[in-house]
């Protein structure tokens, strides 16, 4: 492949690799992306002519006009990052259509680097790793090609005997050469990119981003979640049951023995088809910012949560959370970021634009059945809102509740009766249609007799309220996917679930789930490849996207613990085991490649040594080379020295042009030299003896 073509291809690929992360992040509109790709593709087919003043002025005017439009858009409230990307893309197109010399290519390298910097701020997915590695390889190639091209354009002179007559070599002929760049050259220079990558990794480790959320543009697209706003309509969870996107990851030592309920939002007020929570009064900060309580019960356990960016400020924890902890080293003197709202809902003050890491403690031990059964029927004072039902609720709903609980006393017996009736008599389904003229709970109980978790939870809560049992509805997640590679539980959007909580005097709020087993998601295992990929995503988020000064200190501490043989936290221990599994075959492959390279090197050395012992007559090329050098030495003593920039043919023709007496001998020796050195044609012994005599005579 021609040198110029390889140079152009690497430059175009480098530009595309830096644009790709921005395009995948969604910050680049589809029309703008299509227009840019079309312009770049068309520029590939256009070879710029020598610089013309009129063309340069047109490109400059177009770029200035586009820049002014972007400035106006910025003053009108347009996104600054998007405008900056469009500006850089316009400059890239300008340079692609005017790439005449190495200077324009250097401009493209700078523009692509700026696009890569923007890509690091808007793209946080694992795919960015691939683009970054490709960029490093392409950058190394491009810089090498740029250096070679600049040397060709600026320093490659054909020097004659008279230095004043030196002139530039035709650069186009050199750029069209197919012998400068080949597969071995590309493979060898690609290895240099490994050093660049490791150097970048060291710089990244030594100079982390400062603090939480202070990096430029550090914002991630928040996942839109239904069911966790202040107001929720029935039917929202059913539409996301098949969504595999991960919401949070929880490192654990082993897979949970039974599915966990991850409590999120709670709702007390129901009107028609809508549950709502009015966050009235003052919402006090959660006052447990030291280590959560430990060892205060057999059912308590502490765990870390890596919560993905959501459009909700709700914080999730396993059922019956009793403590939360934010890392003091990360937040320092910043006021608490967690706030306790009514109905035991924990929220942050603002929506999260980055992965939110916290530690929680939950009490999973269920209250004793004897304690629940001993609770009385009389609800506590001030619990009227947990007993309220819509004024237009059809009477048949209350009649059904009285029928189910007839002859029973106490909230526990009534709750079990209603829960078992719903789970036994109604069917779970995601395929529903709603009659707007009917109350959704009434329609579920008497018309459809089928629904998803929200309908079962709402029906359980409303039926119990009509017989005097305080209830509320909770939205959260149930179960998750156990990742055996990274040793963590991945909770997905499809694990969204609803259940009811019932109040018992002396025990507090207790979860009850009326959804049939068909609608309760359980912990499942996925393929090894999927688990490895999700483990890589967690590591990327944890140690790259969210890497800061606190993480740097944490790495050093854990490395010291690892070297000291002390046990590590479950998530880190799982990552270490996953690294061992992944690195073992990689190490074997690298060792095999090293051994293969050593074997080839030894074989080549042995071949050279064998050839060195061969008789001179078996190596005609060496004999011809010695003859040619002897001729050059004889001519040099006579004042005719071959310049380093001259080829043997050019030197022989220069002797003929100057009518040198040895010109014909030089041409004959040069032909034999070319044939033996580059054509592998051995001269006849008689011809070699004749030429050798002539060269000695010349000397």
């Amino acid at each position: 492949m021609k040198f110029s073509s390889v140079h152009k291809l690497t430059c175009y690929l480098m530009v595309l690799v830096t644009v790709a992360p921005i395009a995948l992040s969604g910050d680049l509109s589809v029309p703008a992306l299509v227009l840019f790709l079309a312009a770049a593709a068309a520029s590939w087919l256009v070879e710029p002519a020598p610089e013309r003043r009129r063309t340069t002025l047109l490109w400059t005017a177009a770029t200035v006009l586009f820049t002014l439009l972007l400035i106006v858009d910025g003053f009108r409230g347009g996104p600054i990052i998007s405008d900056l990307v469009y500006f850089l893309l316009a400059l890239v197109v300008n340079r692609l259509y005017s790439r005449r010399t190495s200077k324009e290519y250097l401009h493209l390298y700078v523009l692509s680097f700026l696009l890569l910097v923007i890509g690091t701020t808007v793209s946080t997915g694992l795919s960015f790793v691939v683009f970054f590695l490709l960029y490093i390889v392409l950058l190394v190639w491009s810089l090498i090609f740029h250096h070679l091209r600049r040397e060709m354009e600026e320093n490659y002179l054909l020097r004659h005997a008279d230095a004043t007559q030196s002139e530039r070599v035709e650069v186009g002929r050199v750029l069209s050469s197919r012998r400068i760049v080949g597969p071995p050259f590309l493979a060898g220079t690609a290895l240099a990119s490994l050093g660049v990558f490791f150097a970048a990794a060291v710089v990244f480790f030594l100079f982390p981003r400062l603090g939480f959320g202070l990096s430029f543009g550090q914002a991630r697209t928040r996942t839109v979640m239904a069911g966790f706003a202040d107001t929720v309509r029935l039917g929202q969870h059913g539409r996301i049951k098949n969504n595999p996107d991960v919401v949070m990851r929880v490192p654990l030592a082993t897979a949970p023995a039974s599915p966990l309920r991850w409590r999120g939002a709670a709702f007390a007020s129901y009107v028609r088809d809508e549950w709502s929570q009015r966050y009235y009064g003052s919402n006090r900060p959660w006052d447990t910012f030291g280590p959560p309580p430990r060892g205060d019960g057999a059912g308590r356990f502490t765990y870390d949560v890596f919560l993905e960016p959501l459009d909700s400020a709700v914080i999730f924890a396993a059922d019956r959370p009793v403590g939360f902890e934010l890392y003091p080293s990360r937040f320092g003197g910043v006021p608490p970021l967690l706030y306790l709202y009514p109905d035991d809902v924990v929220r942050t003050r603002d929506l999260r634009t980055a992965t939110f890491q916290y530690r929680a403690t939950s009490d999973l031990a269920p209250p004793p059945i004897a304690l629940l059964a001993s609770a009385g029927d009389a609800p506590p004072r001030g619990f009227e809102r947990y007993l309220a039902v819509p004024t237009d609720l059809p009477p048949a709903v209350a009649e059904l509740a009285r029928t189910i609980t007839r002859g029973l006393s106490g909230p526990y017996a009534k709750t079990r009766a209603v829960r078992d009736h719903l789970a036994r008599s109604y069917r779970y389904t995601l395929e529903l249609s709603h009659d707007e003229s009917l109350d959704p709970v009434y329609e579920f109980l008497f018309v459809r007799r089928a629904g998803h978790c929200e309908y079962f939870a709402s029906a359980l809560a409303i039926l119990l309220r009509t017989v005097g049992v305080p209830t509320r509805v909770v939205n959260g997640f149930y179960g998750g996917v156990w990742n055996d590679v990274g040793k963590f539980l991945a909770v997905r959007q499809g694990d969204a679930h609803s259940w009811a909580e019932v109040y018992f005097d002396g025990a507090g709020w207790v979860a009850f789930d009326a959804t049939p087993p068909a609608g309760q998601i359980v912990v499942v295992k996925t393929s090894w490849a999927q688990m490895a990929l999700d483990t890589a995503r967690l590591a990327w988020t944890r140690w790259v996207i969210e890497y800061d000064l606190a993480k740097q200190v944490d790495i050093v501490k854990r490395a010291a613990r690892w070297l000291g043989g002390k046990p590590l936290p479950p998530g880190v221990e799982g990552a270490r085991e996953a690294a061992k599994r992944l690195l073992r075959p990689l190490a074997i492959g690298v060792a095999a490649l090293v051994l293969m390279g050593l074997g080839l090197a030894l074989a080549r050395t042995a071949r050279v040594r064998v050839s060195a012992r061969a008789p001179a007559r078996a190596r005609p090329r060496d004999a011809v080379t010695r003859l040619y050098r002897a001729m050059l030495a004889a001519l040099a003593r006579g004042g005719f020295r071959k310049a380093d920039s001259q080829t043997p043919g050019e030197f022989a023709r220069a002797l003929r042009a100057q009518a040198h007496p040895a010109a014909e001998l030089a041409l004959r020796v040069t032909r034999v030299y070319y044939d033996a050195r580059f054509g592998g044609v051995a001269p006849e012994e008689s011809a070699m003896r004749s030429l050798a005599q002539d060269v000695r005579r010349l000397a």
Side-chain angles (χ1 to χ4, degrees):
M1 196 171 182
K2 297 180 180 179
F3 173 82
S4 58
S5 300
V6 176
H7 185 201
K8 183 170 72 170
L9 178 61
T10 55
C11 184
Y12 272 71
L13 289 177
M14 188 166 62
V15 170
L16 293 178
V17 162
T18 55
V19 173
I22 303 175
L24 294 178
S25 70
D27 287 297
L28 188 60
S29 65
V30 175
L33 178 62
V34 172
L35 182 61
F36 170 75
L37 293 178
S43 69
W44 176 272
L45 305 175
V46 176
E47 291 300 330
E51 188 172 357
R52 297 177 181 177
R53 183 175 179 83
R54 180 176 300 178
T55 305
T56 304
L57 289 177
L58 288 176
W59 274 115
T60 303
T63 304
V64 170
L65 178 61
F66 187 73
T67 304
L68 292 176
L69 293 176
L70 293 178
I71 293 175
V72 172
D73 181 70
F75 279 111
R76 295 176 59 183
I80 297 178
I81 292 295
S82 297
D83 289 341
L84 180 59
V85 170
Y86 295 144
F87 172 69
L88 292 176
L89 292 182
L91 294 181
V92 167
V93 172
N94 187 331
R95 294 292 87 182
L96 288 177
Y97 278 93
S98 57
R99 42 178 175 78
R100 300 178 183 87
T101 63
S102 58
K103 181 176 64 176
E104 285 78 21
Y105 278 98
L106 183 60
H107 294 167
L108 287 170
Y109 303 156
V110 175
L111 293 173
S112 65
F113 176 76
L114 295 176
L115 289 171
L116 180 74
V117 171
I118 295 178
T120 62
T121 66
V122 300
S123 176
T124 55
L126 192 59
S127 60
F128 183 79
V129 183
V130 179
F131 294 122
F132 182 70
L133 293 176
L134 289 175
Y135 174 79
I136 289 179
V137 175
L138 293 169
L139 178 63
V140 171
W141 284 344
S142 298
L143 292 178
I144 293 174
F145 297 154
H146 173 264
H147 174 74
L148 293 175
R149 181 164 187 154
R150 188 183 63 182
E151 290 296 314
M152 296 173 191
E153 293 173 349
E154 298 180 2
N155 302 322
Y156 207 99
L157 297 178
L158 176 60
R159 292 182 173 85
H160 298 285
D162 185 0
T164 59
Q165 298 179 355
S166 297
E167 59 185 25
R168 292 184 182 273
V169 173
E170 182 61 37
V171 177
R173 179 174 62 83
V174 182
L175 294 178
S176 300
S177 174
R178 299 177 183 272
R179 298 174 57 185
I180 299 178
V181 178
F185 178 87
L186 295 176
T189 52
L191 294 177
S193 61
L194 294 177
V196 177
F197 175 77
F198 286 119
V202 171
V203 172
F204 178 78
F205 173 75
L206 295 177
F207 301 97
R209 292 187 292 268
L210 299 176
F212 180 73
L214 296 181
S215 58
F216 170 70
Q218 180 65 21
R220 300 174 61 186
T221 302
R222 295 188 292 266
T223 301
V224 178
M225 287 290 299
F228 303 104
D230 295 347
T231 302
V232 175
R233 299 189 64 180
L234 266 65
Q236 289 181 325
H237 272 186
R239 294 196 294 271
I240 62 174
K241 273 295 181 185
N242 297 322
N243 193 328
D245 293 342
V246 175
V247 175
M248 59 183 175
R249 297 175 177 87
V250 185
L252 299 171
T254 59
S258 59
L260 299 174
R261 286 188 179 86
W262 301 96
R263 193 179 190 279
F267 305 93
S269 176
Y270 176 76
V271 177
R272 192 65 175 176
D273 62 345
E274 188 175 88
W275 285 96
S276 61
Q277 176 61 278
R278 307 304 179 196
Y279 293 130
Y280 54 88
S282 61
N283 304 308
R284 65 180 179 86
W286 186 281
D287 54 9
T288 307
F289 285 97
R294 302 171 186 264
D296 296 334
R300 286 189 175 179
F301 84 110
T302 302
Y303 49 92
D304 289 330
V305 178
F306 293 86
L307 189 61
E308 290 294 302
L310 305 177
D311 66 338
S312 169
V314 174
I315 297 298
F316 299 91
D319 205 9
R320 298 175 70 89
V322 296
F324 291 89
E325 177 187 5
L326 299 179
Y327 297 99
S329 61
R330 184 166 189 174
F331 297 99
V334 178
L337 299 180
L338 299 185
Y339 292 83
L340 181 63
Y341 285 74
D343 294 312
D344 303 321
V345 176
V346 180
R347 297 162 60 97
T348 60
R349 179 65 72 185
D350 302 309
L351 296 181
R352 296 175 303 279
T353 57
T355 300
F356 192 75
Q357 180 183 356
Y358 55 94
R359 180 167 293 175
T361 296
S362 296
D363 189 356
L364 299 183
I369 294 179
L371 178 62
L372 301 181
S374 64
D377 281 311
R381 182 177 302 176
F383 271 53
E384 291 77 12
R385 62 194 181 101
Y386 299 112
L387 295 170
V389 296
T391 56
D392 58 348
L393 184 71
V397 176
E399 181 61 30
L400 176 62
R402 288 190 292 269
T403 300
I404 297 173
T405 60
R406 184 172 289 117
L408 301 176
S409 62
Y412 181 67
K414 295 177 182 179
T415 300
R416 287 194 57 182
V418 175
R419 181 197 64 185
D420 295 343
H421 174 78
L422 293 174
R424 181 177 60 252
S425 304
Y426 294 84
R427 182 173 55 88
Y428 181 85
T429 182
L430 298 177
E431 304 297 329
L432 290 176
S433 58
H434 175 51
D435 187 347
E436 296 293 338
S437 64
L438 299 176
D439 179 89
V441 173
Y442 173 84
E443 184 181 24
F444 166 72
L445 292 172
F446 298 100
V447 180
R448 303 293 179 187
R449 300 186 65 84
H452 48 73
C453 58
E454 284 183 315
Y455 287 93
F456 283 93
S458 299
L460 176 61
I462 297 302
L463 288 172
L464 289 175
R465 286 186 176 191
T466 59
V467 293
V469 179
T471 59
R472 62 191 183 192
V473 168
V474 175
N475 284 351
F477 300 93
Y478 183 72
V481 178
W482 175 248
N483 189 308
D484 199 37
V485 175
K487 302 299 181 184
F488 63 86
L489 191 69
V491 181
R492 309 157 301 172
Q493 285 202 45
D495 298 321
H497 193 58
S498 291
W499 61 91
E501 288 184 343
V502 180
Y503 186 82
F504 296 88
D505 190 19
W509 293 95
V510 181
F512 282 86
D513 198 343
T515 305
Q520 296 185 9
I521 310 300
V522 299
V523 177
V524 297
K525 289 189 175 182
T526 57
S527 67
W528 188 90
Q530 291 174 320
M531 290 189 292
L533 181 61
D534 200 30
T535 300
R537 290 195 185 100
L538 176 59
W540 173 254
T541 299
R542 188 174 184 180
W543 301 111
V544 179
I545 301 302
E546 305 303 327
Y547 181 69
D548 58 7
L549 184 59
K551 286 287 179 68
Q552 183 189 42
V553 175
D554 191 41
I555 289 176
V556 175
K557 290 181 178 179
R558 287 179 173 175
R561 294 179 63 187
W562 190 350
L563 295 175
K566 296 181 180 180
L568 296 173
V572 181
E573 187 66 35
R576 181 166 68 179
E577 294 300 322
K580 289 181 179 179
R581 296 184 186 181
L582 294 174
L583 293 178
R584 186 177 293 113
L586 180 62
I588 294 175
V590 171
L593 290 176
V594 171
L595 291 176
M596 185 182 301
L598 290 175
L600 293 175
L602 291 175
R604 183 175 182 180
T605 303
R607 187 168 63 250
V608 170
R609 288 182 177 179
V610 169
S611 63
R613 298 193 190 99
R617 54 186 170 81
R619 304 194 311 275
R621 187 176 67 178
D622 294 347
V624 172
T625 301
R626 287 196 297 270
L627 178 65
Y628 182 75
R629 289 176 177 173
M631 182 195 71
L632 292 180
L635 290 171
R637 286 196 295 271
F640 296 91
R641 188 178 302 276
K642 176 181 173 294
D644 293 338
S645 60
Q646 284 181 306
T647 65
E650 291 173 341
F651 179 64
R653 289 191 293 272
L655 290 175
R656 173 183 284 181
Q658 298 180 33
H660 192 278
E664 293 302 323
L665 174 61
L667 287 173
R668 286 162 49 206
V669 174
T670 300
R671 291 194 196 98
V672 173
Y673 174 73
Y674 273 152
D675 290 342
R677 180 74 185 273
F678 304 109
V681 179
E684 296 181 359
E685 291 188 16
S686 59
M688 279 292 294
R689 284 196 298 269
S690 175
L691 287 175
Q693 291 176 358
D694 292 340
V695 170
R696 285 196 296 271
R697 194 176 300 117
L698 174 66

